[in-house]
Amino acid sequence: MNKLFYIIAIILILEFLVETVLDYLNAKHYGDPIPEELTDVFEIAEYQKSQEYQKTNYKFGVYTSIFSFLLTIAFLFFGGFEWVDQTARSFSSNNIIIALIFFGIITLGSDLLTTPFSYYQTFTIEERFGFNKSTKKLFFIDKLKGWLMMVILGGGVITIAILFYQWAGPNFWLYVWGLMTIIIIFMNLFYSKLIVPLFNKQTPLENGNLKTQIEVYAKKVGFELHNIFVIDGSKRSTKANAYFSGFGKEKRVTLYDTLINDLEEEEIVAVLAHEVGHYKKKHIVYNLIASILVLGLTLFILSLFINNSAVATAIGVTQPSFHAALIGFGILYSPISEISSLIMNILSRKFEYEADDYAKNTFGAPPMISALKKLSKHSLSNLTPHAAYVFMHYSHPPLFRRIKNLMV
């Protein structure tokens, strides 16, 4: 066991401890007084239900995180990666096939072991609090589709990355970065057309007063909008959402059918105004550029370590390889990844404030505030999160801060 092995173990332990402390601090705030701006979100019985939902998820999260942590540590200390590596090598001597089998066993095995937890989350916790609308059949069909996408997309990227590595050596990262940039842009443009239909049905928003109000607003702010779709999110959950995807001629707004059912028409237009704000403020482009730059930095640092046999053997394998080094690097890089995630979350929260401001200035604050309160109420969200937890994990500002901003 080289020094990097123990560094990896320390990183895994510290990450587990930090997350455990953050979750604990957040849970301690569940009983805090509700901010004045949010006293009308829940009635007493509803607030008690939201608190119970938060506490139930917290307790369940403790069990799942302990299981995942112990599984990873056991895999590391008891030669799990070596066993998977040797198993993969027993099937072929081709480096690409070995890598695909290696990652296939780890990814599929991990997913199978954690499936009972996600099953319990869906059909016990979410069911108990009235959110789940999925069926057991749909749950497992989604799993199979996810595995198929993993094989096609994940397997394809790994194969091409290894080919680039064999061909270009240390400069392979430039070619992988270029390939991944193309994939990221393509997915941003066509995700709603190609991926979403595999899991959900999307239909154009029907003619009527809501569509007319949306079109009037879009014309008012000079937003060319031809694609307004409704997604059947209700077949899995009662939770509501809306999102904006694509840019240029491929831009589209997607409204969950649950959103349409839960909100008044004026509130829906306010939510859409928020999404238009993201587009007008070029947040989608900025996020895209930031993601590509972070990816480039990650791949560049990977290229500096990939040829170091100690990185591969640090996870306990005896034969250094690209795929083993990738796993070792992934863990060693995680502290840097945490920092980049923090920066992205800070940026995201800033963008959310700006999108809220755009909705306030172009449509009005009251319908946006009432929409946010209703969405929070229907999802039983935490109204009093701990500041440290928000800083580390929230991509959106807490509800009371968003409402304070809208009321200014």
Side-chain angles (χ1 to χ4, degrees), residues 266-336:
E266 188 179 46
E267 294 166 340
I268 296 171
V269 178
V271 171
L272 180 131
H274 171 92
E275 298 301 327
V276 171
H278 281 307
Y279 182 83
K280 287 286 189 175
K281 298 291 183 179
K282 296 183 171 57
H283 295 160
I284 296 171
V285 175
Y286 293 148
N287 279 328
L288 185 63
I289 292 172
S291 298
I292 292 171
L293 290 176
V294 170
L295 174 63
L297 175 64
T298 304
L299 290 170
F300 171 70
I301 297 175
L302 170 64
S303 72
L304 303 178
F305 287 86
I306 200 70
N307 286 319
N308 188 336
S309 61
V311 177
T313 57
I315 61 171
V317 299
T318 54
Q319 293 179 255
S321 61
F322 181 91
H323 57 268
L326 200 56
I327 294 288
F329 171 79
I331 301 173
L332 290 168
Y333 184 75
S334 58
I336 300 176

Side-chain angles (χ1 to χ4, degrees), residues 44-63:
I44 294 176
E46 292 171 332
Y47 185 64
Q48 290 174 342
K49 182 180 179 182
S50 75
Q51 294 296 286
E52 185 61 28
Y53 180 63
Q54 297 300 327
K55 292 174 183 177
T56 301
N57 276 318
Y58 166 65
K59 292 176 182 177
F60 180 70
V62 169
Y63 296 136

Side-chain angles (χ1 to χ4, degrees), residues 3 31 40 53 87 119 143 172 189-190 223 236 248 262 268 296 335 338 380 386 393 395:
K3 291 180 179 179
D40 60 340
Y53 180 63
T87 301
Y119 184 92
K143 278 287 179 186
F172 83 99
L189 281 171
F190 301 107
F223 181 73
R236 290 184 179 83
D262 291 346
I268 296 171
E338 283 292 330
L380 298 180
H386 191 280
H393 292 299
S395 61

Side-chain angles (χ1 to χ4, degrees), residues 116-171:
F117 292 98
S118 58
Y119 184 92
Y120 182 85
Q121 174 83 37
T122 301
F123 294 104
T124 299
I125 297 178
E126 295 293 292
E127 187 85 33
R128 172 185 165 190
F129 289 94
F131 291 127
N132 179 52
K133 293 296 180 183
S134 181
T135 63
K136 294 176 176 64
K137 178 181 178 181
L138 182 61
F139 177 86
F140 287 108
I141 288 176
D142 283 347
K143 278 287 179 186
L144 292 174
K145 289 179 179 178
W147 290 344
L148 180 61
M149 287 183 60
M150 176 190 70
V151 169
I152 295 173
L153 295 178
V157 169
I158 290 170
T159 298
I160 296 174
I162 294 175
L163 288 173
F164 282 147
Y165 176 69
Q166 293 174 342
W167 171 61
N171 291 325

